């Protein structure tokens, strides 16, 4: 860049032959000091730098000239001021572009349009920044041109950042994870691919290989690049270049058979531009090199302005109408409206010399040639504030100087034409609905219509193949000596088999890209290796992944990233058990001891309560004390079978009986159900009830050697290390459990559930006791932040959803009949707490009934108490309690008869019949009869 600027300075100093164009009337007035001249000039100079030898340059020139003519013929714009457009050909030369920009400054141009490429735009932006002249470009799409470094650069088309986002969405939609990028090695290509890399990273995808092509590459150079691409595993190729080189790339790819089935070619909008402009000439040969390619084209909504311009375009040229033609046309109108606002705000076109433009000797650099546009900043502000409708739709700039509502069409080239398979917009992503109608559409999983891929394939390609020279993943596998169903080395080979191996290989086959790998065993072959140490070798760089029965625990997650668990795990306790489904006293098993006791007590209580309520009025509950006791007892227990023969005469007695029969119904039904379960379902019993009973005991505990279980039992559960016995093989488990703690064995073994379930599949004399007391799972380990961990997790979820994971489990870990008998550990006895509510209600009812009965009896006693003779002074007055007890024990009819007899005797003595006189506290026999029974009913 320093060399270029040096040449610029040299050319400026030597430039004495440039001929100045005629200045505008307003500019002359400033020089002559004539204030009477109108503020608006008759002519405003604008310049354009294009590459006229390119197809885009050709159509852009036509669009610009048509727009200038229409603006100058429109009386509603610029109020009589005419635009004068001067176009220079850069001929792909950055040096000439800079010189032409300086030459425009000699003509005091207020704005530049172009240049055509991002490379030239970077160079010229330095010039316009210094001279404060707005630079408008509808073809320079490099995202970095929008940075604060180039304040006077205005892009009147959409940045490449948006179409790279669209490509990333397409890649993610088809679940590809790696792409190869072919691009022109300049600012346009490099910065566009950098943007694509950022967009792909947000989708958890990446560019696996970058293939730059030098700007002046020959067919041989392109062939060399494509031969390298053909060796890559990814078959998804993104091409970001210029139209002139893009077709050459596709032609060479066709010769190399890289346009056959299995490949995916995605191009940026250069291809759609070529199709729009040049497809009419020899279409068969033209489209033959791009069959199945997906490309993007800026989406432009149909409008009356667009249709009108399209008619004019057909009269001006035989070239096809492209989006660049429309953007060039709108750029002139955008500048015209900004100038109109500029003049309406009182803006003046004036230029001045910059004192900083001096040479090393203090003289000005060609002082007669270069000038600074004094009102350049004001014009720039007006450009960015324009809101208008153009042929490309609404035109308005965001705060970061990008056009609003970027959208693209997704095009699939087939036959001698193309078909639109969907749309992409910045607001809604991919869709088969027009961008302007996206907010009203319903959610749909179909984001693109079907695509015809290279090789006329309808099904989306996998996007990768196994590479010829790709690096293989070094995958560490534990060399197990026990439980080989999970991982096992095939003797005499470098092959591996087992449950974990099958899950891993099935998950890798679901990935949308190739993952070459090779297994490496870890272990001495005599003892199971430590999984924690194996995972630590990933952090040390020895392995790229670890596959096996690796439990996901805290300290291991600090060393590596784990995938989604492919099987559930957790620590359980296994111990010897004995059957409990028969025995002499099995009929007592359904109820706990407390429940039996409380039930028996309530039989006696209810019998006593019923006897009390019925004793005074029911002859069946009277008689000698022995007979009454037997009657009450018989009545109470006969209710168990609903066979009681005694009739209830009292209302309170009937209520208590009904409630008690309901309680009996519930208890007897529960007893029957529980006893049936005990006698028909196998029950197991063990002195060990779970991990808590192990912790509280002093018996030795077995664990799998080299497992994390030892540290967990010591550090987390506080079990003494002296109680822990390492065991290696399943046979060691069996022997230690059979020997027991008294014969040098163990009381129980603590291990992960998958191992224990496999161990129990052929050993029915043992069982898992107590609940699982930890929760974790098994996963595959990868280096930290590895994208493979995420992709393998997704593949494991797919295996689970399609049933393949269960099929692999059944293949290796199918349980035998021994482990599938449905045996239950311990006896599920019914406890007192299950019936507390019933007993509370029944007991409360008995208490309330007794209180009501006692109140009625006391009330009756006050009315019917026997007339006691006055005792002599030598005798002691009989006890009132004894009298009350005797009254309660007396039959109710006897009390009533005695009361009536006393009433008659009193009446005969008084000789008064029918008077309502109080006798023994009663006012009338009629009122007596109203309370003949204790219940008062």
């Amino acid at each position: 860049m320093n060399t270029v600027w040096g040449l610029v300075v040299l050319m400026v100093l030597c430039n004495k032959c440039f001929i100045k164009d005629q200045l505008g009337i307003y500019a002359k007035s400033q020089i002559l000091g004539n204030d009477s001249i109108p503020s608006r000039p008759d002519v405003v100079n604008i310049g354009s730098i294009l590459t006229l030898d390119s197809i885009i340059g050709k159509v852009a020139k036509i669009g610009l000239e048509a727009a200038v003519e229409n603006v100058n013929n429109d009386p509603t714009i610029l109020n009589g001021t005419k635009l004068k457009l001067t176009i220079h050909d850069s001929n792909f030369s950055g040096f000439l572009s800079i010189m032409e920009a300086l030459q425009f400054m000699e003509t005091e141009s207020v704005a530049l349009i172009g240049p055509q490429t991002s490379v030239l735009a970077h160079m010229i932006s330095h010039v316009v920044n210094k001279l404060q002249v707005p630079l408008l470009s509808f073809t320079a799409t490099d995202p970095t041109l929008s940075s604060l470094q180039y304040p006077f650069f205005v892009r009147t088309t959409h940045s490449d950042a948006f179409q790279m986002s669209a490509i990333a969405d397409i890649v993610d939609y088809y679940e590809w994870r790696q792409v190869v990028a072919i691009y022109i090695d300049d600012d346009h290509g490099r910065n566009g691919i950098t943007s694509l890399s950022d967009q792909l990273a947000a989708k958890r995808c990446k560019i696996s290989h970058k293939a730059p092509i030098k700007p002046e590459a020959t067919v041989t150079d392109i062939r060399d690049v494509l031969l390298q691409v053909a060796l890559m595993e990814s078959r998804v190729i993104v091409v970001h270049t210029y139209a002139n080189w893009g077709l050459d790339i596709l032609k060479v790819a066709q010769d190399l058979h890289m346009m056959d089935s299995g490949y995916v070619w995605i191009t940026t909008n250069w291809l759609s531009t070529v199709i729009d402009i040049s497809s009419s000439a020899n279409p068969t040969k033209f489209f033959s090199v791009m069959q199945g390619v997906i490309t993007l084209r800026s989406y432009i909504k149909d409008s009356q302005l667009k249709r009108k311009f399209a008619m004019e375009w057909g009269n001006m040229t035989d070239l096809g109408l492209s989006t660049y033609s429309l953007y060039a046309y709108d750029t002139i109108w955008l500048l015209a409206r900004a100038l109109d606002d500029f003049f309406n705000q009182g803006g003046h076109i004036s230029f001045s010399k910059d004192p900083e433009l001096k040479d090393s000797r203090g003289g000005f650099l060609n002082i007669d040639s270069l000038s600074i546009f004094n009102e350049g900043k004001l014009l720039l502000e007006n450009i960015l504030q324009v809101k208008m409708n153009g042929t490309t739709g609404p035109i308005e700039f965001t705060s970061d100087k990008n056009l609003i509502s970027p959208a693209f069409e997704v095009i699939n080239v087939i036959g001698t034409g193309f078909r639109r398979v969907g749309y992409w917009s910045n607001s809604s992503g991919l869709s088969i609905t027009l961008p302007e109608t996206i907010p009203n559409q319903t959610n749909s999983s179909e984001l693109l219509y079907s695509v015809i891929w290279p090789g006329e394939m309808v099904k989306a390609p996998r996007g990768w193949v196994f590479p010829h020279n790709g690096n293989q993943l070094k995958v560490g596998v534990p060399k197990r000596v026990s439980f080989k169903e999970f991982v096992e080395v095939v003797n005499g080979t470098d092959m591996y088999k087992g449950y974990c191996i099958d899950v891993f290989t099935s998950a890798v086959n679901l990935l949308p890209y190739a993952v070459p790998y090779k297994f490496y065993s870890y272990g001495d072959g005599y003892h199971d290796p430590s999984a924690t140490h194996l995972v630590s070798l990933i952090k040390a760089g020895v392995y790229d992944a670890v596959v096996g029965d690796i439990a996901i625990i805290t300290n291991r997650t600090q060393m590596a990233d784990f995938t989604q668990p492919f099987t559930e795990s957790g620590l359980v306790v296994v111990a010897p058990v004995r059957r409990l489904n028969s025995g002499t006293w099995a009929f007592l098993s359904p109820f706990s001891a407390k429940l039996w006791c409380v039930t028996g007590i309530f039989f006696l209580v209810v019998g006593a309560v019923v006897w009390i309520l019925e004793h005074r009025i029911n002859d069946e509950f009277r008689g000698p004390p022995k007979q009454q006791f037997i009657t009450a007892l018989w009545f109470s227990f006969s209710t168990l079978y609903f066979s009681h023969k005694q009739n209830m005469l009292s209302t309170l007695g009937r209520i208590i009986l009904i409630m008690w029969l309901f309680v009996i119904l519930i208890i007897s039904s529960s007893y029957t159900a529980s006893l049936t379960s005990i006698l028909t379902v196998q029950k197991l019993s063990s002195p060990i009830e779970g991990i808590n009973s192990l912790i509280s005991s002093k018996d030795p505990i077995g664990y799998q050697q080299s497992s994390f279980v030892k540290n967990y039992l010591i550090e987390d559960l506080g079990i003494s290390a002296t109680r822990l016995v390492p065991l290696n093989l399943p046979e060691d488990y069996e022997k230690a459990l059979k020997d027991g703690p008294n014969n040098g064995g163990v009381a129980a073994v603590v291990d992960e559930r998958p191992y224990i379930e496999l161990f129990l599949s052929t050993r029915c004399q043992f069982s898992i006791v107590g609940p699982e007391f930890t929760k974790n799972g098994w996963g595959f380990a990868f280096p930290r932040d590895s994208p493979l961990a995420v992709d393998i997790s997704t593949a494991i979820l797919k295996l689970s959803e399609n049933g393949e994971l269960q099929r692999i489990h059944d293949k290796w870990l199918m349980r035998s009949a021994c482990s599938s008998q449905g045996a239950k550990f311990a006896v599920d006895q019914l406890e007192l707490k299950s019936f507390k509510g019933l007993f509370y209600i029944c007991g409360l009812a008995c208490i309330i009934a007794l209180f009501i009965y006692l109140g009625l009896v006391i009330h009756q006693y006050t009315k019917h108490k026997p007339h006691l003779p006055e005792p002599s002074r030598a005798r002691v007055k009989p006890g009132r309690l004894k009298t009350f007890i005797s009254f309660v024990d007396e039959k109710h009819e006897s009390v009533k008869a005695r009361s009536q007899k006393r009433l008659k005797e009193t009446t005969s003595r008084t000789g008064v019949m029918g008077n309502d006189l109080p006798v023994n506290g009663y006012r009338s026999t009629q009122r007596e009869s109203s309370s003949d029974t204790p219940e008062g009913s």
Side-chain angles (χ1 to χ4, degrees):
M1 184 59 72
N2 292 333
T3 303
V4 173
W5 277 107
L7 290 173
V8 170
V9 173
L10 179 62
M11 291 299 295
V12 170
L13 291 175
C14 297
N15 183 15
K16 300 297 183 179
C17 59
F18 284 146
I19 302 174
K20 297 184 179 180
D21 293 336
Q22 184 180 2
L23 298 177
I25 297 177
Y26 176 74
K28 287 183 177 180
S29 68
Q30 294 298 315
I31 296 174
L32 301 176
N34 187 356
D35 296 333
S36 64
I37 303 299
S39 60
R40 284 182 180 246
D42 290 340
V43 176
V44 175
N45 293 322
I46 58 176
S48 178
I49 302 173
L50 300 175
T51 304
L52 299 179
D53 192 34
S54 66
I55 58 175
I56 295 178
K58 293 176 182 178
V59 297
K61 180 177 182 295
I62 298 173
L64 292 174
E65 291 175 344
V68 170
E69 182 180 356
N70 291 340
V71 168
N72 290 337
N73 293 333
D74 191 340
T76 63
I77 192 75
L78 288 179
N79 197 19
T81 299
K82 304 298 182 182
L83 295 180
K84 182 179 180 180
L85 174 66
T86 304
I87 299 177
H88 285 287
D89 185 6
S90 67
N91 196 25
F92 297 102
S93 171
F95 177 74
L96 290 180
S97 298
I98 295 177
M99 296 309 303
E100 288 160 358
L102 293 173
Q103 186 175 355
F104 280 125
M105 295 303 100
E106 292 182 344
T107 63
E108 297 186 349
S109 297
V110 298
L112 293 182
I113 298 176
Q116 190 170 313
T117 66
S118 299
V119 177
L120 304 182
H122 275 281
M123 296 181 180
I124 297 178
S125 292
H126 292 284
V127 178
V128 298
N129 285 350
K130 190 63 178 177
L131 302 179
Q132 299 184 11
V133 176
L135 176 64
L136 292 77
S137 179
F138 52 88
T139 52
T141 54
D142 177 7
T144 62
L145 286 169
S146 299
S147 65
L148 299 177
Q149 183 182 3
Y150 308 112
F152 280 86
F153 176 82
V154 179
R155 193 191 337 265
T156 58
T157 186
H158 297 299
S159 167
D160 276 343
F162 298 111
Q163 70 169 328
M164 295 307 176
S165 179
I167 292 176
D169 282 349
I170 294 173
V171 172
D172 182 59
Y173 174 67
Y174 288 107
E175 297 183 349
W176 301 314
R177 286 293 173 263
Q178 295 184 8
V179 303
V180 174
I182 300 176
Y183 59 96
I184 198 73
D185 194 13
D186 59 12
D187 290 340
H188 170 73
R190 285 191 300 269
N191 294 334
I193 292 303
T194 299
S195 177
L196 174 62
S197 180
D198 294 339
Q199 299 293 342
L200 288 173
K203 305 289 183 182
R204 296 188 293 105
C205 307
K206 69 175 183 178
I207 298 176
S208 60
H209 178 71
K210 292 182 179 181
I213 296 177
K214 60 184 180 180
E216 298 179 359
T218 63
V219 173
T220 303
D221 296 330
I222 294 175
R223 179 181 293 271
D224 293 339
V225 171
L226 291 184
L227 285 174
Q228 294 180 1
V229 171
L231 298 176
M232 300 296 107
E233 64 268 20
S234 177
R235 286 295 184 260
V236 182
I237 302 172
V238 177
V239 182
H240 180 53
T241 180
Y242 300 115
N244 297 33
W245 287 273
L247 290 180
D248 291 336
I249 294 173
L250 295 181
K251 288 177 183 178
V252 175
Q254 186 181 44
D255 294 338
L256 296 175
H257 301 285
M258 296 177 67
M259 299 295 292
D260 295 343
S261 60
Y263 280 90
V264 176
W265 288 84
I266 304 174
T267 72
T268 48
N269 58 355
W270 64 264
L271 182 58
S272 62
T273 302
V274 174
I275 293 174
D276 291 337
I277 298 175
S278 307
S279 60
S280 59
N282 196 0
T284 302
K285 181 180 179 180
F286 182 82
F287 283 104
S288 63
V289 299
M290 58 182 76
Q291 292 298 300
V293 176
I294 292 179
T295 186
L296 298 176
R297 179 170 63 185
S298 294
Y299 170 73
I300 297 175
K301 182 181 178 181
D302 190 27
S303 65
Q304 184 177 357
L305 286 174
K306 178 183 175 182
R307 290 193 296 269
K308 180 181 178 182
F309 181 70
M311 293 179 62
E312 295 178 3
W313 184 265
N315 298 327
M316 291 185 291
T317 179
D318 293 333
L319 296 174
L321 178 64
S322 75
T323 56
Y324 286 112
S325 308
L326 300 174
Y327 281 117
Y329 184 83
D330 286 348
T331 300
I332 293 294
W333 276 95
L334 170 68
L335 180 58
R337 294 187 183 278
L339 284 170
D340 194 39
D341 294 337
F342 172 78
F343 292 134
N344 290 336
Q345 295 173 6
H348 299 276
I349 296 179
S350 63
F351 293 84
S352 62
K353 307 305 177 182
D354 187 352
E356 295 182 0
L357 295 177
K358 297 180 180 179
D359 59 18
S360 58
R361 294 172 298 176
F364 285 99
L365 297 177
N366 196 11
I367 190 171
D368 295 328
S369 301
L370 298 180
S371 300
I372 294 176
F373 182 21
N374 296 327
E375 289 79 16
K377 292 183 178 179
L378 178 60
L379 179 59
L380 176 64
E381 292 176 2
N382 281 279
I383 291 173
L384 297 176
Q385 292 174 2
V386 168
K387 295 181 181 179
M388 57 173 277
N389 286 320
T391 59
T392 58
I395 297 177
E396 182 180 345
F397 290 96
T398 62
S399 58
D400 54 358
K401 298 197 302 182
N402 284 316
L403 288 179
I404 62 171
S405 305
F408 293 91
E409 300 174 73
V410 183
I411 294 174
N412 179 210
V413 181
I414 50 176
T416 57
F418 60 87
R419 60 189 290 262
R420 186 185 301 108
V421 296
Y423 302 91
W424 181 92
S425 69
N426 190 43
S427 59
S428 58
L430 294 173
S431 174
I432 58 177
T433 311
L434 292 173
E436 61 265 22
T437 61
I438 288 296
N440 298 325
Q441 75 166 3
T442 57
N443 292 329
S444 174
S445 59
E446 185 182 22
L447 302 181
L448 294 175
Y449 291 118
S450 60
V451 174
I452 305 299
W453 304 97
E456 298 183 356
M457 300 295 294
V458 177
K459 183 179 179 182
R462 184 167 58 173
W464 61 270
V465 294
F466 287 102
H468 300 290
N469 61 344
N471 296 325
Q472 291 182 328
L473 286 179
K474 296 180 64 177
V475 181
V477 178
K479 191 174 184 180
R480 295 198 60 88
V481 295
S482 64
F483 300 109
K484 293 185 177 181
E485 291 84 353
F486 296 105
V487 178
E488 181 181 6
V489 181
V490 180
N491 292 331
T493 68
D494 58 352
M495 299 177 62
Y496 293 77
K497 64 180 182 179
Y499 171 64
C500 300
I501 300 298
D502 279 6
V503 173
F504 177 75
T505 55
S506 299
V508 168
N509 290 336
L510 289 178
L511 295 179
Y513 52 88
V515 180
Y517 57 87
K518 184 177 181 180
F519 291 130
Y520 294 86
S521 61
Y522 173 78
D524 57 12
Y526 299 100
H527 300 88
D528 290 330
S530 169
T532 301
H533 188 264
L534 179 57
V535 172
S536 69
L537 295 179
I538 295 179
K539 188 176 181 180
V542 177
Y543 296 124
D544 299 316
V546 168
V547 171
D549 47 337
I550 311 297
I552 305 173
I553 58 176
T554 303
N555 63 331
R556 294 175 186 171
T557 58
Q558 297 173 354
M559 306 174 186
D561 281 350
F562 282 84
T563 64
Q564 168 82 15
F566 58 87
T567 188
E568 293 184 356
S569 182
L571 295 182
V572 294
V573 177
V574 62
V577 293
R578 61 185 180 87
R579 297 184 179 181
L580 282 180
N581 57 332
S582 62
T584 305
W585 302 102
F587 69 92
L588 295 176
S589 300
F591 289 173
S592 65
K594 287 184 179 180
L595 183 56
W596 278 119
C597 293
V598 172
T599 303
I601 292 172
F602 261 82
F603 270 106
L604 299 177
V605 170
V606 171
V609 171
V610 171
W611 177 84
I612 292 173
L613 297 177
E614 296 288 328
H615 176 67
R616 299 189 70 235
I617 60 176
N618 195 335
D619 290 337
E620 295 184 11
F621 288 89
R622 298 190 65 81
K626 181 178 179 180
Q627 180 182 348
Q628 294 182 49
F629 176 77
I630 294 175
T631 299
L633 200 62
W634 170 257
F635 169 81
S636 178
F637 284 98
S638 63
T639 56
L640 178 63
Y641 310 101
F642 302 93
S643 59
H644 53 284
K645 298 181 179 180
Q646 293 80 2
N647 294 322
M648 299 290 101
L649 300 181
S650 66
T651 303
L652 292 175
R654 291 170 181 168
I655 294 174
I656 296 301
L657 179 62
I658 291 174
M659 297 190 65
W660 177 242
L661 291 178
F662 177 73
V663 174
I664 290 298
L665 175 64
I666 299 298
I667 291 179
S668 60
S669 300
S670 302
Y671 175 84
T672 302
S674 181
L675 183 61
T676 302
S677 175
I678 290 173
L679 297 179
T680 57
V681 179
Q682 177 180 322
K683 304 289 184 175
L684 303 175
S685 175
S686 171
I688 304 299
E689 298 179 356
I691 188 63
N692 291 330
S693 62
L694 270 183
I695 294 175
S696 59
S697 70
K698 301 298 181 182
D699 295 330
I701 303 171
Y703 68 93
Q704 185 178 166
Q705 193 174 21
S706 302
S707 171
F708 73 94
V709 176
K710 177 180 180 181
N711 291 336
Y712 179 81
L713 295 178
I714 295 174
E715 297 173 3
D716 291 56
L717 301 184
I719 297 176
S720 173
T722 58
R723 294 178 55 194
L724 302 182
V725 179
L727 303 172
N728 197 27
L729 301 173
E731 292 76 14
D732 298 336
Y733 286 22
E734 183 177 7
K735 183 179 184 303
L737 290 171
K738 283 183 177 180
D739 292 344
N742 298 326
N743 297 316
V746 297
V749 171
V750 177
D751 205 350
E752 295 180 73
R753 180 177 286 276
Y755 300 125
I756 295 301
E757 289 180 347
L758 194 59
F759 169 77
L760 296 177
S761 61
T762 55
R763 298 169 176 86
C764 301
Q765 67 271 37
F766 309 109
S767 179
I768 296 175
V769 294
E772 188 174 87
F773 57 92
T774 66
K775 286 287 185 181
N776 52 40
W778 289 357
F780 305 130
F782 290 89
R784 300 302 296 268
D785 301 323
S786 170
L788 265 179
V790 179
D791 291 344
I792 293 290
S793 294
T794 303
I796 290 173
L797 290 176
K798 290 181 180 179
L799 291 175
S800 178
E801 292 170 357
N802 62 25
E804 181 67 13
L805 195 61
Q806 185 62 43
R807 188 196 65 79
I808 297 173
H809 179 276
D810 295 341
K811 172 185 175 182
W812 292 99
L813 308 176
M814 176 64 75
R815 299 178 183 180
S816 68
C818 177
S819 61
S820 59
Q821 293 174 354
K824 297 176 66 178
F825 177 75
V827 179
D828 296 330
Q829 288 185 327
L830 296 174
E831 300 289 341
L832 175 61
K833 62 182 179 181
S834 302
F835 302 95
K836 274 186 178 181
L838 284 175
F839 288 130
Y840 281 149
I841 295 173
C842 186
L844 183 62
C846 290
I847 293 174
I848 293 174
L850 289 177
F851 272 107
I852 294 174
Y853 177 80
L854 181 60
L856 293 174
V857 168
I858 292 175
H859 178 67
Q860 191 181 47
Y861 173 74
T862 59
K863 294 188 294 184
H864 297 279
K865 63 182 178 180
H867 182 70
L868 300 176
E870 292 294 332
S872 60
R873 295 188 180 185
R875 297 176 58 187
V876 180
K877 186 176 182 179
R880 292 185 178 274
L881 179 60
K882 184 177 180 180
T883 304
F884 177 74
I885 293 175
S886 299
F887 176 80
V888 171
D889 186 58
E890 189 177 6
K891 192 174 181 180
H892 177 69
E893 285 76 3
S894 301
V895 175
K896 182 178 179 182
R898 183 177 67 250
S899 178
Q900 291 177 350
K901 181 179 179 182
R902 186 183 304 131
L903 180 61
K904 290 179 180 179
E905 292 175 354
T906 305
T907 304
S908 63
R909 283 198 301 267
T910 58
V912 181
M913 301 298 296
N915 294 337
D916 188 13
L917 298 177
V919 179
N920 287 335
Y922 292 89
R923 299 189 62 85
S924 67
T925 56
Q926 184 178 5
R927 191 168 295 179
E928 261 185 35
S929 62
S930 67
S931 57
D932 281 343
T933 62
E935 292 85 348
S937 60

CSV table of all heavy atoms in Angstrom, one decimal, residues 312 414 459 546 552 727:
chain,number,residue,atom,x,y,z
A,312,GLU,N,-38.3,-0.8,-20.3
A,312,GLU,CA,-37.3,0.1,-20.9
A,312,GLU,C,-36.0,-0.7,-21.1
A,312,GLU,O,-35.3,-0.4,-22.2
A,312,GLU,CB,-37.0,1.2,-19.9
A,312,GLU,CG,-38.2,2.2,-19.7
A,312,GLU,CD,-37.9,3.2,-18.7
A,312,GLU,OE1,-36.7,3.3,-18.2
A,312,GLU,OE2,-38.8,4.0,-18.3
A,414,ILE,N,-31.3,-26.6,-13.0
A,414,ILE,CA,-31.6,-27.9,-13.5
A,414,ILE,C,-31.9,-27.7,-15.0
A,414,ILE,O,-32.6,-26.7,-15.4
A,414,ILE,CB,-32.7,-28.6,-12.8
A,414,ILE,CG1,-33.9,-27.6,-12.7
A,414,ILE,CG2,-32.3,-29.1,-11.5
A,414,ILE,CD1,-35.1,-28.3,-12.1
A,459,LYS,N,-32.4,-37.3,-3.4
A,459,LYS,CA,-32.1,-37.3,-2.0
A,459,LYS,C,-30.9,-36.5,-1.7
A,459,LYS,O,-29.9,-36.5,-2.4
A,459,LYS,CB,-31.9,-38.8,-1.5
A,459,LYS,CG,-31.6,-38.9,0.0
A,459,LYS,CD,-31.4,-40.4,0.4
A,459,LYS,CE,-31.1,-40.5,1.9
A,459,LYS,NZ,-30.8,-41.9,2.3
A,546,VAL,N,-12.1,-41.1,24.0
A,546,VAL,CA,-12.2,-42.4,24.8
A,546,VAL,C,-13.5,-43.0,24.7
A,546,VAL,O,-14.6,-42.3,24.9
A,546,VAL,CB,-11.8,-42.1,26.3
A,546,VAL,CG1,-12.1,-43.3,27.1
A,546,VAL,CG2,-10.4,-41.7,26.4
A,552,ILE,N,-19.9,-40.8,33.7
A,552,ILE,CA,-19.7,-39.4,33.7
A,552,ILE,C,-19.8,-38.9,35.2
A,552,ILE,O,-20.9,-38.8,35.8
A,552,ILE,CB,-20.8,-38.7,32.9
A,552,ILE,CG1,-20.8,-39.3,31.5
A,552,ILE,CG2,-20.6,-37.2,32.8
A,552,ILE,CD1,-22.0,-38.8,30.6
A,727,LEU,N,-12.6,-56.3,44.2
A,727,LEU,CA,-13.0,-57.6,43.5
A,727,LEU,C,-12.8,-57.3,42.0
A,727,LEU,O,-13.1,-56.2,41.5
A,727,LEU,CB,-14.4,-58.0,43.8
A,727,LEU,CG,-14.8,-58.2,45.3
A,727,LEU,CD1,-16.3,-58.4,45.5
A,727,LEU,CD2,-14.0,-59.4,45.9
